[in-house]
């Protein structure tokens, strides 16, 4: 039975790329075992809330299972799962019901200065072993780049991510003639009927990113989606993410797991969730920069394949704690 004797929280501003902020939680039990968790781009009040309530929630409290704590914070929940599974000597993927030993990966490519350079970048990824590519598109950067990539690679499995940026379906319907597998996040979250109308008009699967089973049920009621884009970091707990997985599977949806930002811990949890049996589409943990990661081995794909760490307990990665402390802008200890 875990009993936390010490906790630390670190706020990091990652040094590469967009210099995004991430929050790490470290728990240490009375036997010296540690568990780590991460929350990406935490809300401004998260730091003060954790500082005020985390010690009372965890220090000296006996708990049987991470679900019994109900912290409501993904970093705390992940750290509890990591500690709990390390104490039992089992990988996180196995503990939550994962069955896969490796995952196919998609690589995400942002809009480019020119169509020609985008095609060249796609060529680099195909040569690196990727058989699935996701293009980020926006109004004004959609039909032309997709057409060019499809002409260059007729057999490539291709998806597009709209970033919830569209308000009309015209250009998206036009994309359907290029053999897309998935159209991700076309409209604003909550615009259920726009998604339903688009799904009726295209053969590609429309994918929605949601953070609760209640939201998912709204989309299922009007058949507005065929794919759940499951981002574990968006849920308050891994159990809630697993519940969304189960609901999607019961409804006959495909699932794609995503989570490519942060310092590596959130990515590792994404891989564990992606090993669940219903996660049938390629996993997306490929967003750069890899240099921001504080875990060993780095979480990512090799030749388009992601290994699920099943020989090490917990999240399956070692933490470079010295680097964490160097990168920390704020920290507190209890």
């Amino acid at each position: 039975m875990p009993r936390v004797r010490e906790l630390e929280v670190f706020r990091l501003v990652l040094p590469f790329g967009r210099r995004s902020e991430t929050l790490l939680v470290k728990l240490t039990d009375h036997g010296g075992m540690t568990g780590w968790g991460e929350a990406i781009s935490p809300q401004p009040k998260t730091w003060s809330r954790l500082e005020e309530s985390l010690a009372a929630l965890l220090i000296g409290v006996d708990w049987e299972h991470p679900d019994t704590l109900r912290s409501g914070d993904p970093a705390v929940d992940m750290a509890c799962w990591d500690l709990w599974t390390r104490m039992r000597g089992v990988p996180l993927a196995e503990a939550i019901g994962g069955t896969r030993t490796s995952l196919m990966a998609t690589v995400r490519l942002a809009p480019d200065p020119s169509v020609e350079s985008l095609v060249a970048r796609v060529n680099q990824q195909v040569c690196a072993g990727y058989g699935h590519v996701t293009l980020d598109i926006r109004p004004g950067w959609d039909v032309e780049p997709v057409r060019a990539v499809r002409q260059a690679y007729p057999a490539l499995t291709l998806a597009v991510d709209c970033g919830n940026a569209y308000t009309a379906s015209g250009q998206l319907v036009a994309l359907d003639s290029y053999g897309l597998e998935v159209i991700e996040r076309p409209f604003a979250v909550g615009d259920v009927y726009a998604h339903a109308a688009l799904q009726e008009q295209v053969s590609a699967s429309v994918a929605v990113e949601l953070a609760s089973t209640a939201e998912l049920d709204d989309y299922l009621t009007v058949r507005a989606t065929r794919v759940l884009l499951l981002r574990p970091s968006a849920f308050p707990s891994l159990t809630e993410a697993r519940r969304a997985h189960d609901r999607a599977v019961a409804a006959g949806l495909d699932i794609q797991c995503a989570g490519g930002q942060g310092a590596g811990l959130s990515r590792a949890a994404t891989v564990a969730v992606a090993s669940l049996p219903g996660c049938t589409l390629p996993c997306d943990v490929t967003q750069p920069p890899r240099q921001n990661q504080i875990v060993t081995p780095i979480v990512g794909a090799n030749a388009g394949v992601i290994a699920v760490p099943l020989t090490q307990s917990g999240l399956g990665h070692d933490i470079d704690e010295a680097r964490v402390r160097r990168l920390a802008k704020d920290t507190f200890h209890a």
Side-chain angles (χ1 to χ4, degrees), residues 105-107 125-133 156 286 290 300-305:
T106 187
V107 62
Q125 300 301 332
V126 170
C127 292
Y130 284 96
H132 191 287
V133 172
L156 180 65
T286 59
R290 293 163 66 101
N302 182 17
V305 177

Side-chain angles (χ1 to χ4, degrees), residues 3 42 50 62 72 83 92 142 159 165-166 172 179 189 199 202 210 216 227 232 234 236 243 247 257 262 303 320 329:
R3 173 180 283 190
L50 288 178
D62 292 324
L83 176 60
L92 176 61
D142 40 36
Y166 286 80
L172 301 177
V189 176
Q199 187 63 91
V202 297
L210 306 171
L216 177 58
V227 172
R243 188 171 292 120
R247 180 71 184 93
C257 274
D320 186 346
K329 302 301 181 183

Side-chain angles (χ1 to χ4, degrees), residues 141-158:
W141 176 264
D142 40 36
V143 174
E144 186 179 359
V146 171
R147 180 194 299 120
V149 172
R150 176 55 72 213
Q151 289 175 346
Y153 295 95
L156 180 65
T157 305
L158 198 59

